[in-house]
Amino acid sequence: MAGEAPEQLSERELELLTLVTTGATNQQIARDLCISVNTVKAHLRNIFAKLGVESRTEATLLAIQQGLIHVATPDGVNGSEETAVADEAPAPSEPEPIPMEWPLRLGQGLALLAALAIILATIVWPSAQASTPAPNNRFIDMPRSQAVSRETAEASRWRSGAQMPAATGRFAQVAVGGTIYVIGGLTDEGWSADTDAYDPEQDRWSRGARKPTAVANVGAAALGGLIAVPGGLDASGTVRDVHEVYDPDADAWTTLAPLPEPRCSYAIAPVAGGYLVIGGWDGQVYVDTVYRYDAAADRWDELAPLEIPRGHAAVATWNGRVYVVGGYDGVTEYGLCESFDPALAAEGADPWRTHMPMSVGRADHAMAAVDGMLYVVGGAGDGRAAYNERYDIANDVWSTFDSPLASRWANLGLSAVTARGGAYLYAMGGWSDEYLSSVRIYQTSFRLFLP
């Protein structure tokens, strides 16, 4: 690719590409060029197509290699003049590095260096086949060379189940018909397309048909006995709009109407006749959109958006209301607790309500609803909270409960299953300095049946 001449960019596209190479965000570019964010996105799509790349980082590298950007050198020669000289003279076998003076803020230039560091890290990890699509490596996990002790001294109501077939994080997890399904995600080997089923009653795993598209940073929703898995991030670093559905009875995958736009790291929740995809990352920015999938019509509709665009939130449904908790917007991990009422949305009224927030901000956590309570597991950053939280919906009150891990536990799956002896949470896999294969079971309530 680097050896081919890219399709000629317009003057506006070159101007925008120069800003991209400094690490400027879409919002910053829109402000500096006095255009809308949507116009920036349209220009970026055209630039990527002309250059034959799929990400901002690839475009930055190619722009530097091809001399497309205008940079200043210490002796006052500008980038365009230097490019012309390079075109006339043969390239040296070992070119000297060219010091660059960034035309915008130093912090934006450092963002480019951070992006290059991420590329080097993904080369070191063979499974990562492309650069990550966002700053701070928020969408993949980098294994550490040393194992750490993660178990807490006491976790009285937690016990262990049969381990997952592979240590995995960032997967889709959903319970259907008493069976818990784990689909896709990231492992030490890279992107997974596996479909694994766990029987809580037998404490046993089985394997189903592989998902057609291997993706991570996804969720799943039960859809009339089927399992829908929209979007996700693939091994090339591309955020997808694919909409694939698994039939457990037939052990087969099919494809339905794609998402209106690519999404990953969204929140997903079932509603009557379909499900919601809330927020997430579109490959460039965190978004506030709420899409509803209508199963009968195989159609997507856009509903009232989030107040704060964000991804990496957790979601659960109770009594027809969808609760969205936490999340990350590129800067802040939120403790927000909000709810969405599909019935109000159908009437054209404001469906969103705000409730008491959690004690700390959380992202990449998991949540399940049981007996009028929301249980939030994992996700608190930087060791701020080695505990989990639960929300009493009727009383708008949060409390804490213990965690089986002492360190950050993120990108796990959580499902609630009711059995004869009570209600249980099944927390599976995730990331805690390494990918986990553990299945941890928490009994939320006890039930006694009298003859």
Side-chain angles (χ1 to χ4, degrees), residues 64-106:
I64 294 173
Q65 292 170 353
Q66 299 285 349
L68 299 177
I69 61 172
H70 300 276
V71 296
T73 59
D75 60 1
V77 179
N78 65 34
S80 59
E81 293 170 348
E82 190 165 288
T83 300
V85 172
D87 290 340
E88 295 172 4
S93 57
E94 293 184 7
E96 292 294 325
I98 301 173
M100 294 185 183
E101 180 180 316
W102 297 105
L104 294 183
R105 292 188 296 272
L106 176 61

Side-chain angles (χ1 to χ4, degrees), residues 70-414:
H70 300 276
V71 296
T73 59
D75 60 1
V77 179
N78 65 34
S80 59
E81 293 170 348
E82 190 165 288
T83 300
V85 172
D87 290 340
E88 295 172 4
S93 57
E94 293 184 7
E96 292 294 325
I98 301 173
M100 294 185 183
E101 180 180 316
W102 297 105
L104 294 183
R105 292 188 296 272
L106 176 61
Q108 293 178 338
L110 293 177
L112 172 59
L113 298 179
L116 296 175
I118 290 172
I119 292 177
L120 293 176
T122 56
I123 292 173
V124 172
W125 185 32
S127 305
Q129 299 176 20
S131 60
T132 57
N136 303 326
N137 209 21
R138 195 78 203 197
F139 300 89
I140 65 171
D141 309 289
M142 302 308 299
R144 294 187 179 180
S145 58
Q146 293 183 336
V148 296
S149 176
R150 297 181 303 273
E151 300 294 331
T152 56
E154 294 183 6
S156 57
R157 292 175 69 173
W158 289 93
R159 59 184 175 85
S160 296
Q163 290 201 340
M164 301 171 67
T168 314
R170 301 180 182 273
F171 50 83
Q173 178 171 320
V174 65
V176 176
T179 299
I180 300 173
Y181 294 87
V182 172
I183 301 167
L186 281 173
T187 72
D188 288 332
E189 303 301 319
W191 273 254
S192 171
D194 290 338
T195 302
D196 294 312
Y198 175 75
D199 183 339
E201 197 171 306
Q202 300 294 325
D203 189 29
R204 185 174 60 195
W205 288 91
S206 59
R207 175 147 294 178
R210 287 171 60 83
K211 186 176 181 295
T213 308
V215 288
N217 299 287
V218 287
L223 194 64
L226 306 178
I227 299 171
V229 184
L233 178 73
D234 68 17
S236 72
T238 302
V239 181
R240 304 295 299 272
D241 64 359
V242 66
H243 185 195
E244 295 172 340
V245 176
Y246 179 66
D247 183 341
D249 292 336
D251 188 29
W253 287 87
T254 55
T255 302
L256 297 178
L259 280 160
E261 293 182 330
R263 287 290 183 274
C264 72
S265 299
Y266 50 75
I268 183 170
V271 294
Y275 65 89
L276 303 181
V277 171
I278 303 170
W281 174 261
D282 70 358
Q284 301 293 333
V285 295
Y286 289 102
V287 297
D288 60 3
T289 51
V290 175
Y291 292 122
R292 177 184 182 273
Y293 177 70
D294 183 331
D298 189 25
R299 184 188 69 227
W300 293 92
D301 299 305
E302 187 168 353
L303 305 181
L306 288 163
E307 181 177 354
I308 298 176
R310 62 193 189 274
H312 311 278
V315 66
T317 302
W318 186 256
N319 282 346
R321 184 175 282 272
V322 177
Y323 291 83
V324 183
V325 174
Y328 176 72
D329 66 357
V331 177
T332 303
E333 290 188 350
Y334 290 93
L336 293 170
C337 178
E338 300 173 306
S339 66
F340 181 96
D341 188 334
L344 290 177
E347 296 171 359
D350 181 8
W352 288 102
R353 298 292 181 271
T354 301
H355 309 281
M356 181 69 68
M358 295 183 291
S359 66
V360 296
R362 295 177 187 261
D364 299 315
H365 49 303
M367 184 167 71
V370 183
D371 297 331
M373 305 283 285
L374 303 179
Y375 289 84
V376 176
V377 177
D382 303 323
R384 290 177 294 164
Y387 58 83
N388 302 313
E389 300 189 56
R390 61 186 158 220
Y391 176 66
D392 184 333
I393 295 174
N395 295 304
D396 193 28
V397 173
W398 287 90
S399 59
T400 64
F401 66 105
D402 60 316
S403 173
L405 298 186
S407 59
R408 178 179 171 91
W409 187 12
N411 302 306
L412 65 150
L414 186 69

